[in-house]
């Protein structure tokens, strides 16, 4: 978790997409490896460490801290976008590794954070139209990923 702590301290500092994507990839790999612990596709003899839950706890606290500050225009919309991107990455990573993820409590925390961040970006007077559009695209792709993954597993893809 020390690696993730370093990532969380630096997320607002990467102005270019390549750096943000690299930092996000490291975080998603930490989550993916932990989610696969104890599973036949991963390391069956290891016990899950709860990294996803810890990261989602941090994310939820970070989002709550931003909401308490008041107006979405009082902070950089790019910071909100980075947090939303991480949320979407976590969502996709967890759905890929566990078909049971959408029925967990941490899924509710994650989806709630995604919704709050998307709302904050759309409500920000500082957010450029391209950033708002990019945020919506990221969320749509993440949400659609569950259908693609289920279809690949031969599961039912009907949406109720």
């Amino acid at each position: 978790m020390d690696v993730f702590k370093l990532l969380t301290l630096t997320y607002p500092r990467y102005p270019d997409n390549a750096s943000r994507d690299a930092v996000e990839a490291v975080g998603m790999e930490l989550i993916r490896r932990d989610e696969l612990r104890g599973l036949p596709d991963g390391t069956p003899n290891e016990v899950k460490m709860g990294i996803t839950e810890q990261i989602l706890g941090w994310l939820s606290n970070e989002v709550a801290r931003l909401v308490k500050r008041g107006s979405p225009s009082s902070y950089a919309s790019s910071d909100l976008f980075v947090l939303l991107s991480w949320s979407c990455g976590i969502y996709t990573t967890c759905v890929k590794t566990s078909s049971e993820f959408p029925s967990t409590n941490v899924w509710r925390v994650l989806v709630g954070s995604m919704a709050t961040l998307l709302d904050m970006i759309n409500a920000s007077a500082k957010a450029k139209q391209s950033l708002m559009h990019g945020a919506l695209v990221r969320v749509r792709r993440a949400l659609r990923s569950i259908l693609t993954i289920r279809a690949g597993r031969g599961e039912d893809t009907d949406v109720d």
Side-chain angles (χ1 to χ4, degrees):
M1 284 307 294
D2 291 339
V3 171
F4 186 75
K5 185 174 182 180
L6 288 172
L7 298 177
T8 62
L9 294 174
T10 60
Y11 78 83
R13 300 180 196 259
Y14 299 107
D16 61 298
N17 283 335
S19 297
R20 283 195 303 262
D21 290 347
V23 170
E24 184 179 331
V26 171
M28 296 315 111
E29 184 61 18
L30 289 171
I31 291 170
R32 187 188 71 76
R33 285 186 176 197
D34 191 52
E35 288 297 308
L36 288 173
R37 290 177 199 263
L39 298 176
D41 294 344
T43 48
N45 298 331
E46 292 185 14
V47 177
K48 190 174 165 190
M49 297 171 60
I51 290 174
T52 303
E53 292 78 4
Q54 292 176 46
I55 290 173
L56 289 177
W58 170 83
L59 180 68
S60 179
N61 288 336
E62 193 74 4
V63 170
R65 183 181 64 79
L66 293 170
V67 168
K68 286 180 186 174
R69 287 177 69 183
S71 168
S73 299
S74 64
Y75 27 78
S77 53
S78 61
D79 289 356
L80 297 174
F81 183 79
V82 169
L83 291 174
L84 180 63
S85 294
W86 285 12
S87 301
C88 293
I90 293 168
Y91 180 92
T92 303
T93 301
C94 290
V95 167
K96 280 182 183 176
T97 57
S98 171
S99 60
E100 302 300 318
F101 181 71
S103 63
T104 64
N105 287 332
V106 291
W107 180 80
R108 287 180 180 82
V109 170
L110 178 56
V111 172
S113 294
M114 289 169 63
T116 301
L117 289 164
L118 185 60
D119 284 347
M120 292 171 74
I121 289 169
N122 286 325
S124 174
K126 291 182 180 179
K128 294 180 181 176
Q129 201 64 32
S130 59
L131 187 130
M132 286 189 235
H133 178 72
L136 186 58
V137 167
R138 278 299 296 248
V139 170
R140 284 180 177 165
R141 284 182 186 156
L143 295 177
R144 278 195 311 256
S145 69
I146 194 169
L147 299 176
T148 305
I149 293 162
R150 283 183 174 175
R153 291 179 184 155
E155 298 175 9
D156 182 22
T157 58
D158 289 340
V159 179
D160 296 331

